Amino acid sequence: QVQLVESGGGLVQAGDSLRLSCAASGRTFNSYAMGWFRQAPGKERVFVAAISRSGGSTSYADSVKGRFTISRDNAKNTVYLQMNSLKPEDTAVYYCAASTVPGSYYHTERMYTYWGQGTQVTVSS
């Protein structure tokens, strides 16, 4: 199967930037649409961003539009989430996920097959 490993989380102050990375172990990375989700304490896991297999199409939750950018480097089997102008409400465990479902990208958890272990992002005010 596919193993996903997130990295880049940490503790930052409001207004700071952070870049998350997600490295995939498989040899068919280009076959997967990729997504980022996050889960705050006591809350459900929610969609953050997604990118198509080729990287040509992206989608974002309204809460992060204009601040976050998802990208991928298929040659490196890696997807990124650049987070700018971070707010305390961005504090959460961030997960990357890979979808094997035919299509471009998806917003719902059920469309993703493989998940990383998560990386903690904490934004202080």
Side-chain angles (χ1 to χ4, degrees):
Q1 305 301 321
V2 175
Q3 183 175 359
L4 305 175
V5 180
E6 302 98 332
S7 62
L11 174 63
V12 298
Q13 292 185 315
D16 285 353
S17 296
L18 205 59
R19 189 179 77 158
L20 305 182
S21 298
C22 176
S25 63
R27 299 187 302 275
T28 56
F29 181 71
N30 192 49
S31 298
Y32 313 131
M34 300 294 297
W36 285 97
F37 293 76
R38 67 187 183 188
Q39 186 170 26
K43 302 292 184 65
E44 296 183 350
R45 186 157 59 188
V46 298
F47 169 79
V48 175
I51 189 166
S52 62
R53 289 159 175 78
S54 67
S57 298
T58 59
S59 182
Y60 300 92
D62 288 342
S63 59
V64 305
K65 283 183 179 178
R67 299 189 298 120
F68 290 11
T69 302
I70 187 172
S71 62
R72 68 191 296 162
D73 186 339
N74 288 345
K76 297 180 179 179
N77 278 16
T78 302
V79 64
Y80 305 95
L81 185 67
Q82 177 67 45
M83 305 184 294
N84 297 329
S85 301
L86 283 163
K87 306 174 181 179
E89 50 262 45
D90 294 319
T91 295
V93 176
Y94 283 71
Y95 300 88
C96 67
S99 177
T100 59
V101 179
S104 55
Y105 53 78
Y106 308 97
H107 295 170
T108 58
E109 290 190 27
R110 68 182 182 87
M111 303 303 289
Y112 290 86
T113 303
Y114 304 107
W115 293 81
Q117 83 288 350
T119 185
Q120 177 71 48
V121 172
T122 302
V123 184
S124 63
S125 60

